[in-house]
Amino acid sequence: MAKHEVTFPVTDPQEILKLRAGDEVTVQGHIIGIRDRTQIRIFDQGVEPPMDLAGAFLLHTAPGVRKLDDGRYEKVCIGTTTSARMVRFTEPLGAQYGVRAICGKGGFPDDAIEPMQRLGMVYFAIVGGAAALETTQIEEIEEVAWEELMPECLWKFRVKDFGPLTVGIDAHGNSLYHDVQARAQEKLKELYARL
Amino acid sequence: MSTVAVDLRQTVEDAAAHLYVWALKDIPQDLRDALVAAQQRETSVPGKRVLDTIVKNVQVADDQNNLVCQDTGIAVYTCRVGEHFPLHPAKIYEALYAGTERATLEHPLRSNAVHTITRENTGANVGYRLPIVHWEFIPDWDGLDVKCVPKGSGSENMSFLKMCVPADGVKGIKQFVLESIVGAGGKPCPPGIVGVGIGGSADYAMYLAKEAIARPIGTRNADPHVAKLEEELFGLLNETGIGPMGLGGDVTVLNCHIEHADTHMTLNPVAVNYQCWAARRASAHVAPDGSVEFDREA
């Protein structure tokens, strides 16, 4: 299980292809915050996102923020939400907008494995709930679009040493979640026999 | 009498406002100890990475006076009201509502509360039937205990109910708890506390499961039959290999707590309510003279 540092947005597909399920990754550069209502607006209501998502790292989040007098937002507490609710957006995010990485907590079900492999995308597992630490790794909220969806807006954050993240699903068809679940289902049979 | 009632209402409101923020920032010692023990016991590489991050995060929250987790949850309170406590529960509810709202706006805390159809955010973590309060009334006592349990959605979404039949027996209960936690995988932010409610009715079983997650970690039910089941399930759940954040490992749960109620001869309900690793809770003991003792460990 190798360790990597990746700067987003990425332009070279190799940056994603070199990552393998289980690897540890630290992220630099810019990441984009997105959540249920943001993606419902893009894909179900057909509204074009006012940010470039090519090569992007998307974070499943709805940050706690404080609005300043000049209209900018200051971070209060920024953490990560459960990804599984949003799995159906994976394919269009990659195919239509060129998103390269999706980061959240709890993993994606197996539906994400094929599109991620086909489109050269990865899923990064962050530690859900570890928001105090995550907040210190977000240097600044640089842009906010769709403020009326607060807190489920489209956010642009500048990050430093964001992580450690674990590659949960890689671009080669491997998913830690699939493997853990398969082993657990086998184990359940053994446990039931003992009850 | 009316003066006392007004003052106590304000006291309870102030206590609720304090408890909500305090619970979000300063997790109980028994939880801190359980997380460190889990960190030491975990052998999988991703699992260890998760637990190292969790322990570090708790420290960062302390150092920066920040929330442990950004999900400020829905505010759930459990109230134990003495029969002689001089403020009526209707006024206690008003005070908890006002305290939750005030804490949210003053801190500020992220508001999660939305209308369930329109999904419009109410802006202050209160609303119609929010916050949620569990009541218990205690004879021959004049005090009030308020416990605030901010409940995050990641874990609350992993709630499960099965109306087992009597012929399924205790084995059916065990199987359902095991399949629920394996099915939940990494979604509820494991390792957390598995709350199980058994008996009563469908709704009451889930109510009991929520009571179970609010207990200090590793406390055991007073009924030895139930306590034995807690121990057995705790061991079995940690054999599933789901691990921290569902990435595989030795520690899937910090503990398993069960609450029970007697039930109908043809019922065997089992409810599972999950509490994430950031199992936040904070309590206040309010005396009839308005003095308040805050307590992180209750």
Side-chain angles (χ1 to χ4, degrees):
Chain A
M1 293 183 186
K3 289 190 182 186
H4 311 269
E5 187 171 304
V6 183
T7 301
F8 283 89
V10 295
T11 47
D12 179 2
Q14 276 307 320
E15 288 289 296
I16 300 299
L17 295 174
K18 73 181 181 191
L19 307 175
R20 295 278 172 174
D23 285 357
E24 181 178 320
V25 178
T26 303
V27 165
Q28 313 290 355
H30 289 86
I31 67 174
I32 289 172
I34 200 161
R35 205 180 162 112
D36 305 62
R37 286 184 77 188
T38 344
Q39 296 178 84
I40 287 167
R41 179 172 282 197
I42 297 170
F43 296 109
D44 297 351
Q45 298 165 0
V47 184
E48 279 296 307
M51 281 185 200
D52 185 8
L53 303 183
F57 175 114
L58 303 186
L59 179 70
H60 287 153
T61 188
V65 294
R66 187 181 289 119
K67 190 165 190 175
L68 303 174
D69 291 340
D70 62 5
R72 288 182 305 125
Y73 286 90
E74 178 181 73
K75 62 186 182 178
V76 174
C77 190
I78 304 179
T80 309
T81 192
T82 312
S83 299
R85 300 189 307 268
M86 296 171 268
V87 65
R88 72 181 168 97
F89 304 117
T90 305
E91 204 273 346
L93 282 169
Q96 295 176 39
Y97 294 104
V99 167
R100 287 294 181 180
I102 296 174
C103 178
K105 62 109 168 164
F108 269 154
D110 290 355
D111 321 28
I113 298 173
E114 186 280 324
M116 288 197 138
Q117 184 172 12
R118 172 162 46 88
L119 299 165
M121 302 167 73
V122 283
Y123 176 85
F124 290 124
I126 201 165
V127 178
L133 178 65
E134 199 176 322
T135 304
T136 66
Q137 297 166 349
I138 292 179
E139 289 192 306
E140 200 183 347
I141 300 172
E142 289 197 351
E143 262 184 79
V144 186
W146 295 345
E147 281 180 68
E148 65 277 16
L149 298 185
M150 188 66 59
E152 299 182 69
C153 320
L154 201 53
W155 303 86
K156 189 181 210 177
F157 306 117
R158 188 177 69 250
V159 299
K160 187 168 193 309
D161 301 333
F162 193 78
L165 309 174
T166 299
V167 179
I169 303 172
D170 65 24
H172 308 282
N174 304 301
S175 165
L176 287 188
Y177 302 103
H178 174 86
D179 297 349
V180 167
Q181 198 57 225
R183 285 198 300 272
Q185 292 298 337
E186 282 305 306
K187 185 74 187 180
L188 274 184
K189 290 180 200 162
E190 181 198 320
L191 295 179
Y192 289 170
R194 265 164 42 196
L195 295 179
Chain B
M1 271 308 285
S2 64
T3 310
V4 171
V6 170
D7 287 344
L8 268 182
R9 190 204 165 283
Q10 191 61 48
T11 301
V12 175
E13 177 183 326
D14 293 346
H18 176 69
L19 287 178
Y20 190 23
V21 176
W22 189 37
L24 293 169
K25 290 186 171 179
D26 185 11
I27 60 173
Q29 191 58 46
D30 59 88
L31 176 58
R32 291 167 185 257
D33 294 345
L35 290 169
V36 170
Q39 178 191 27
Q40 288 165 355
R41 192 166 84 75
E42 182 58 58
T43 59
S44 91
V45 173
K48 186 93 169 65
R49 191 181 296 146
V50 166
L51 287 161
D52 288 348
T53 302
I54 286 173
V55 170
K56 188 174 172 187
N57 180 74
V58 172
Q59 188 60 50
V60 170
D62 286 344
D63 294 346
Q64 311 242 337
N65 189 29
N66 204 348
L67 315 182
V68 170
C69 171
Q70 85 292 345
D71 189 352
T72 49
I74 45 173
V76 177
Y77 295 91
T78 65
C79 285
R80 296 175 72 252
V81 191
E83 104 174 89
H84 303 301
F85 187 70
L87 188 68
H88 190 275
K91 296 293 176 195
I92 295 173
Y93 187 82
E94 278 182 15
L96 297 177
Y97 185 104
T100 307
E101 183 175 40
R102 206 177 84 204
T104 301
L105 297 176
E106 281 179 2
H107 185 274
L109 300 172
R110 191 182 79 179
S111 175
N112 309 306
V114 300
H115 184 284
T116 194
I117 300 290
T118 68
R119 311 307 289 179
E120 287 302 316
N121 199 305
T122 65
N125 281 322
V126 290
Y128 181 60
R129 293 178 169 163
L130 269 182
I132 293 166
V133 181
H134 287 209
W135 300 100
E136 188 184 352
F137 300 100
I138 314 296
D140 301 323
W141 188 48
D142 60 3
L144 166 70
D145 289 343
V146 182
K147 184 187 291 188
C148 177
V149 183
K151 189 64 171 66
S153 68
S155 58
E156 190 66 13
N157 270 331
M158 295 299 110
S159 303
F160 307 95
L161 173 73
K162 184 174 183 184
M163 302 306 283
C164 289
V165 296
D168 293 331
V170 180
K171 186 178 176 183
I173 293 170
K174 292 176 195 169
Q175 283 198 3
F176 182 64
V177 174
L178 283 165
E179 76 180 44
S180 296
I181 298 308
V182 166
K187 292 190 281 291
C189 288
I193 302 170
V194 176
V196 181
I198 50 176
S201 55
D203 58 322
Y204 202 58
M206 193 56 84
Y207 180 95
L208 292 170
K210 180 67 100 278
E211 295 270 299
I213 60 106
R215 282 168 27 194
I217 294 191
T219 49
R220 288 287 169 249
N221 193 295
D223 183 317
H225 298 290
V226 181
K228 184 165 168 275
L229 184 57
E230 288 175 329
E231 284 293 338
E232 186 181 352
L233 276 171
F234 178 32
L236 290 167
L237 287 164
N238 273 335
E239 286 190 54
T240 59
I242 294 296
M245 289 311 299
L247 296 170
D250 310 302
V251 185
T252 297
V253 301
L254 295 177
N255 220 302
C256 176
H257 299 166
I258 305 175
E259 291 292 328
H260 67 296
D262 293 346
T263 190
H264 191 288
M265 60 188 159
T266 52
L267 287 176
N268 187 14
V270 50
V272 177
N273 190 245
Y274 201 96
Q275 177 63 304
C276 57
W277 67 258
R280 300 159 294 182
R281 63 175 209 275
S283 296
H285 308 295
V286 185
D289 65 0
S291 60
V292 181
E293 186 192 332
F294 289 104
D295 177 359
R296 198 179 59 166
E297 308 306 323

